[in-house]
Amino acid sequence: MCDRAIRSVCLLLVLGAAASWADDGSSLAASPEQIQAWRDMKFGLFIHWGPVSIKGTEIGWSRGAQVPIEEYDQLYKQFNPTQFNADAWVTVARDAGMKYLVITSKHHDGFCIWPSKYTDYHIGNSPFKRDILRELSDACRKQGIQFSTYHSICDWRHPDYPMGSPGGQTAKPNPNMPRYYEYLKNQTREIIENYGPLGIMWFDGEWEKPWTLEYGNDLYAYLKGIQPSLIINNRVSKGRLGMAGTTQQTHLNAGDYDTPEQRIGGFQKDRPWETCMTICQQWAWKPNDQMKSLKECLQTLVRVVGGDGNLLFNVGPMPDGRIEPRQVDRLREMGRWLSRHGESIYGTRGGPYKTTAKIASTYKGNAVYVHVLDWSGDTIALPALPKKVTDCTLLTGGTVSVRQTADAIEITVPPQSRQEIDTIVKLTLDGPAGEIEPITLTSPSLAAGKKATASNTFMRMAEFGPSKALDDDAGTRWATDSGTKQAWIEVDLGKPVTFNQVAINEAYDRARKFELQCKEGDAWKTFLEGTRIGEEYSKGFNPVTAQVVRLNILEATDGPTIWEFQLLASRQ
Ligand code: H79
């Protein structure tokens, strides 16, 4: 069907079905071909920018918190990023190996970076005056990067929107949600008409009460009527399950893909997804913000793609209009890696092996790329595939040998051919890898999936519970409340078990003193002590036999948080 035909069918559907999305709306969903084209891109640049960069505090959230409302709302009068150069930004994205770009047209603070007809609170009334969406969309088109926008549904400044700053916690005196909804429709239509066609409309701030399923599904249908090829994330509607970003799957929840935030999404092939994550800690620019290492950046990308997702990686440009040079350097380093190894990323799908703490895998055609992210011995033994391996090479250079038995594929790489960040083993099969059902790797950890308890869980949220440190999913973690200085996590192995090694992956490097203990009767016996844990801690010791084991963190700079806690019985 040609684009025009699709458009008229969709318009008919919108006219007939806007009020009852559930009946017909699912036919507005992005087509498999569109989704595949977006998936193939894998890597995009997220940009959070606005007058708040002058303060260096968080966009939206610092309004009425770190920055008084009166001051925050006047910042645009000083916003004059004279060094902004749209072509330079898009070149950064291109050099990073990114294929699309999503910028905040409007965040929760309500400021618009294009001269909107429907408000005065926009860039045209700043000293800068220039239309940022115009310049960026033009530059994207010129350089072959897909242009997209992030648009906040909640608006803590707009008088018609019922909730206000800080953080949507206050009520406005004279709200008018139906009128605000018209504003939202007008502005999003204006964006598509002026700067479209867009790749994605990335909504956010949908979790607040005034936004309903009806509004969400109606907006989805409305925008698809204007641009049928538009892809819209799941935050347009009400089905998102917290920061995990997956969608409560009822046919009522509009949205083309899931949106894990600040975490690597779980392995998921039946619904498309995209992790959004910051290169530093804040979405908007913050001076001297802590930046992720190249290893962390690349392993995040590999884990996301291995789980069948996309990565939307965020920078917050500075108030002078430039992206921080050290962030540009980091992105270019990622791009250099991708220009060598992109074959194992772009156009692939996740699997067949599900991601573990040490391994991710991708595939394309007859090739499977095994990404080894952490070496613990010479040989990696993977479960056999229902295909024959006909060839095996190292994409990252060097020598590799592979041995196939009835139930295993054993890959051996000598130390000099192993990479610190990612050793990519390319297995060529005698048929398409896409025919293989995803395979779960059994954990070597004796604590995997066992019963866990902890002294404390971040905001009592199940998604940060202690079981997340024992689930062998490198994208989920046990977290404790901020400000926590001491914490423990305990595992009950079900029966006495003998182990002689521990491996711990800690987020944020907060532990300063810890001990490993096992229960003897009612008493705890300490069998290992240490200071820092960090990203990759591993230690051997004389065999210990115990049923209940705990990691007791005695001193931490802030709430300890653990990706994985593993107990191993290794040959030594
Ligand atoms: O734009 C960036 C952030 O400013 C924004 N999303 C990224 C892309 C952001 N929105 N919210 N948050 C960050 C954190 C908010 C979390 C919470 Fe909730 C809001 C906790 C409770 C309400 C949404 C609903 C998440 C969990 C339940």
Side-chain angles (χ1 to χ4, degrees), residues 46 48 59 61 107-108 150 202 204 207 235 240 242-243 261 276 283:
F46 211 178
H48 277 65
I59 191 165
W61 296 91
H107 201 262
H108 311 330
Y150 164 111
W202 212 107
D204 201 4
W207 66 85
R235 299 187 187 193
R240 174 175 53 127
M243 305 294 272
E261 176 166 333
C276 58
W283 292 97

Side-chain angles (χ1 to χ4, degrees), residues 107-144:
H107 201 262
H108 311 330
D109 61 20
F111 185 74
C112 301
I113 65 166
W114 82 103
S116 174
K117 273 200 305 211
Y118 302 98
T119 179
D120 290 331
Y121 193 44
H122 66 65
I123 193 73
N125 293 322
S126 73
F128 189 53
K129 292 198 171 58
R130 284 158 53 188
D131 181 349
I132 296 168
L133 289 191
R134 164 72 49 225
E135 294 183 25
L136 256 185
S137 57
D138 286 351
C140 279
R141 232 142 258 148
K142 199 168 90 194
Q143 298 198 47

